[in-house]
């Protein structure tokens, strides 16, 4: 059985000192071994990538990611970071198409497709985020919308490449301080739609958006969900450790 992917993006939070404290506490707790049945991952801001990589060390059970990367390998792209640069800094995962990037930084289906291809070209795992707005949900078009986002970003990939992709479904209305936690019944249909197309063909189908210690176990129980992508609850290392335990208990059945 594939491990449950349980990880966090820190978004634009944490100083280097805070990054060190979180990562040190986690590595000491894990003692070099992932919790049974779980694949942990952490996605710090770029400034902390090498710091976190050094603390995790070689062959860490915790995978390391970046929150974005450009589709070109190098060049005149002020303010951007390329996939080879991210890899050089220790990253194994590239987060692509988070709704905050789509909303504020012009990420489109086309740029997500280029970035997925770039990550795969350099042997990194693309973590593709998809999710619909409250308006799209209210119109009853959630599944059609997220399938279009996923198909657009993954277009043309052969089975081998597709098998390395991780998809995170994160409804925009459920993310962050202004979001409200999704209920299990609300997620059944979108995951059925995603599962029909991608279960067994990608590396993971994660849920994200206001995951907390109360709802994590129920969310993992939804058909086709194989992991959790978490913001606020995991920024405190104790919260993240608890989520890993919940994941491990779920994996053990
Ligand atoms: P949240 O963030 O868990 O703080 O809602 C989720 C995300 O944006 O991935």
């Amino acid at each position: 059985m594939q491990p449950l992917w349980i990880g966090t993006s820190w978004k634009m939070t944490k100083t280097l000192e805070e990054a060190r404290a979180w990562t040190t506490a986690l590595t000491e707790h894990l003692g070099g071994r992932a919790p049974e049945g779980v694949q942990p991952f952490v996605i710090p801001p770029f400034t902390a990538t090498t710091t976190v990589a050094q603390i995790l060390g070689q062959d860490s059970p915790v995978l390391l990611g970046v929150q974005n990367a450009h589709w070109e390998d190098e060049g005149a792209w002020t303010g951007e970071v390329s996939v080879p640069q991210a890899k050089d800094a220790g990253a194994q995962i590239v987060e692509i198409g988070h709704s905050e990037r789509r909303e504020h930084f012009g990420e489109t289906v086309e740029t997500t497709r280029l970035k997925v291809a770039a990550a795969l070209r350099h042997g990194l795992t693309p973590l593709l985020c998809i999710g619909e707005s409250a308006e799209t949900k209210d119109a009853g078009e959630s599944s059609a919308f997220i399938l279009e986002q996923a198909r657009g970003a993954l277009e043309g990939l052969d089975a081998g490449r597709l098998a390395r992709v991780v998809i995170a479904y994160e409804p925009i209305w459920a993310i962050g301080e202004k979001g409200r936690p999704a209920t299990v019944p609300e997620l059944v249909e979108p995951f059925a739609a995603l599962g029909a197309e991608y279960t067994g063909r990608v590396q993971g189908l994660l849920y994200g958006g206001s995951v907390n210690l109360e709802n994590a176990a129920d969310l993992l129980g939804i058909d086709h969900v194989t992991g959790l992508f978490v913001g606020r609850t995991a920024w405190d290392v104790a919260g993240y450790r608890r989520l890993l335990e919940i994941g491990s208990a779920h994996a053990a059945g």
Side-chain angles (χ1 to χ4, degrees):
M1 188 165 136
Q2 295 278 348
L4 296 171
W5 283 57
I6 299 188
T8 178
S9 161
W10 294 346
K11 306 194 183 189
M12 197 173 71
T13 75
K14 294 200 193 294
T15 61
L16 287 181
E17 191 179 329
E18 289 162 346
R20 267 185 220 110
W22 189 99
T23 312
T24 304
L26 181 69
T27 46
E28 283 173 0
H29 171 76
L30 293 179
R33 285 190 35 227
E36 201 67 44
V38 175
Q39 174 59 69
F41 65 96
V42 58
I43 311 189
F46 285 119
T47 47
T49 312
T50 49
T51 300
V52 172
Q54 278 160 10
I55 296 169
L56 292 177
Q58 295 284 321
D59 304 319
S60 170
V62 182
L63 295 176
L64 175 62
V66 289
Q67 297 174 20
N68 177 42
H70 199 271
W71 57 84
E72 294 287 345
D73 289 357
E74 64 173 15
W77 300 95
T78 298
E80 290 290 310
V81 171
S82 71
V83 175
Q85 288 174 319
K87 186 175 179 176
D88 187 38
Q92 296 141 309
I93 298 170
V94 183
E95 181 181 351
I96 295 165
H98 189 280
S99 61
E100 288 151 16
R101 294 208 55 85
R102 293 181 196 255
E103 183 184 348
H104 304 298
F105 303 102
E107 198 82 83
T108 62
V109 168
E110 171 72 2
T111 60
T112 60
R113 190 176 57 73
L114 292 169
K115 291 176 179 192
V116 166
L120 291 170
R121 190 163 72 235
H122 293 285
L124 276 72
T125 299
L127 171 56
L128 174 70
C129 302
I130 56 174
E132 84 287 8
S133 66
E135 293 72 41
T136 301
K137 174 180 162 55
D138 292 345
E141 289 163 5
S142 302
S143 297
F145 184 86
I146 59 176
L147 277 177
E148 199 175 300
Q149 282 184 326
R151 286 176 186 149
L154 304 176
E155 192 184 281
L157 296 183
D158 59 28
R161 287 199 174 81
L162 187 60
R164 289 160 47 202
V165 171
V166 175
I167 298 175
Y169 169 46
E170 307 201 297
I172 298 170
W173 46 269
I175 291 176
E177 294 295 344
K178 294 192 205 113
R180 72 159 172 87
T183 64
V184 168
E186 285 177 308
L187 298 176
V188 168
E189 192 202 304
F191 272 104
L194 286 172
E197 188 139 335
Y198 293 111
T199 290
R201 298 178 66 213
V202 295
Q203 197 171 178
L205 268 184
L206 319 188
Y207 171 74
S210 294
V211 173
N212 58 47
L213 301 182
E214 284 70 48
N215 64 14
D218 290 341
L219 293 166
L220 285 172
I222 298 170
D223 261 4
H224 301 288
V225 171
T226 64
L228 300 171
F229 190 27
V230 188
R232 291 156 297 156
T233 299
W235 294 347
D236 166 22
V237 73
Y240 184 54
R241 276 163 39 178
R242 213 28 228 127
L243 289 169
L244 293 177
E245 283 166 16
I246 292 168
S248 204
H250 183 84

